[in-house]
Amino acid sequence: MISVSEAIQQIENYCKPNNFEQKSIKEVLGLVLAEDIFSPINMPPFKQSSMDGYAFTYDDDSNYEIVGEVQAGDSKNIELKSGQAVRIFTGARVPDHADTVVMQEHTKVEGEKLTIEKLPTKFSNVRPLGEQIAEGELALAKGTLLNEGTIGFLAGLGIAEVKVYSVPKVSILITGDELRQVGEKLEEGQVYDSNSITLQLALKKLGITEARIVKIEDDFEATKRAIQEELDAADIILISGGISVGDYDFVKRSLEENKVTEIFYKVNQKPGKPLWFGHKEERLVFALPGNPASSLSCFYVYVLPVIQAKLGHSNYHLQRGEAKAANGVKNVYGKTLFLKGVVADGVATQLTGQASSMLKSFATANTLLVVPENKEVIQEGEEITYIQLNS
Ligand code: AMP
Ligand code: MG
């Protein structure tokens, strides 16, 4: 059995970005850029009006002759002499010889005669060529999270495809003959399978929308075969249940038979002691304890960082913080405790219902409070570390 900090250290070795791939910008929402992007154009690509009004060469005069019109999208470049102006609209190309645009609300027009009633300062309402970004300038750095704003920015520069870190393929193997699916009727001795839903959704929140779910009977051959098949299909395999020491826990032996190398088995923590982690070449396998709260805690502390790192995030752990314990917390187990808690206004409150079988406390928790294995008691008012659960 290893300590939580040793287990996290081991996990750290596998927190590396995935390979990258080229994708259409329409398919990269939530992914991380795997390359620096330099602007292929000046933006704006021409001197551009930011107002509906009149473009002219600034010379302190208020009276101009209107000699033409430029609409957004027009390519023409009207030659302007001193004392002349053109009608212009937002987004339109400002003639080379003009340097200033007056907004139409500040003018009076009679036929071809323009009178500027409120003279703007020189260069007003003209966006210079490349004002936002110049050709060749760094637009987005490697490691940038691609949201709708950043992707729109790329689209505005005419960039159709980018390199992003690949989304890992994940398979979820669910063991347990006692499990029924929601919608089915429970017979005596059966419980509903919640882990497949919890894990699938936890992955979805990280951007993994296509995790495979495979249900296995509590049978050695079936378990071994399922693991073998998923080792061919997935980058990361999450196995739920069957990793304890019961007579029907076949996962550990099946992993060994499939030559998956154990990195650790059993962590000095509560919940989630029977956690198993290993790899076969680049494939990673987490065997999570079947108890629902254990499985989810282990996901947050150990699985999530690996997935986030593979996706290219540099801050791949859930955020940690310190708060003042609202009540004293006892640790009689000599293990690291991950307690469902609520942190509000810097105060940490431990919830009731901490048993590893209970998900109820997760319904109201916004944090996991961490009590170190060597800490027997945390006094009321003492600082306690928490892991922020993203809502
Ligand atoms: P195991 O780790 O297989 O020994 O399972 C430990 C406990 O978790 C048992 O009470 C199981 O019934 C329960 N359990 C296992 N898998 C699931 C699951 N997918 N959903 C809900 N409970 C489960
Ligand atoms: Mg079981």
Side-chain angles (χ1 to χ4, degrees), residues 165-229:
Y165 294 106
S166 299
V167 175
K169 292 199 200 86
V170 183
S171 290
I172 303 171
L173 301 189
I174 299 289
T175 73
D177 288 351
E178 73 282 24
L179 302 175
R180 286 295 165 271
Q181 300 308 303
V182 284
E184 293 176 359
K185 191 168 172 299
L186 281 190
E187 303 293 342
E188 197 60 39
Q190 299 179 334
V191 291
Y192 285 116
D193 162 21
S194 59
N195 288 350
S196 64
I197 302 281
T198 307
L199 294 172
Q200 190 181 22
L201 296 180
L203 290 169
K204 196 170 176 183
K205 231 160 81 176
L206 301 181
I208 297 171
T209 51
E210 287 168 14
R212 255 161 72 89
I213 297 187
V214 180
K215 312 230 158 73
I216 335 171
E217 320 156 37
D218 285 327
D219 170 81
F220 173 59
E221 286 301 328
T223 308
K224 194 173 121 183
R225 205 171 336 111
I227 291 174
Q228 187 182 2
E229 277 170 25

Side-chain angles (χ1 to χ4, degrees), residues 21 51 79 339:
E21 61 188 307
M51 285 286 169
E79 288 268 333
L339 303 168

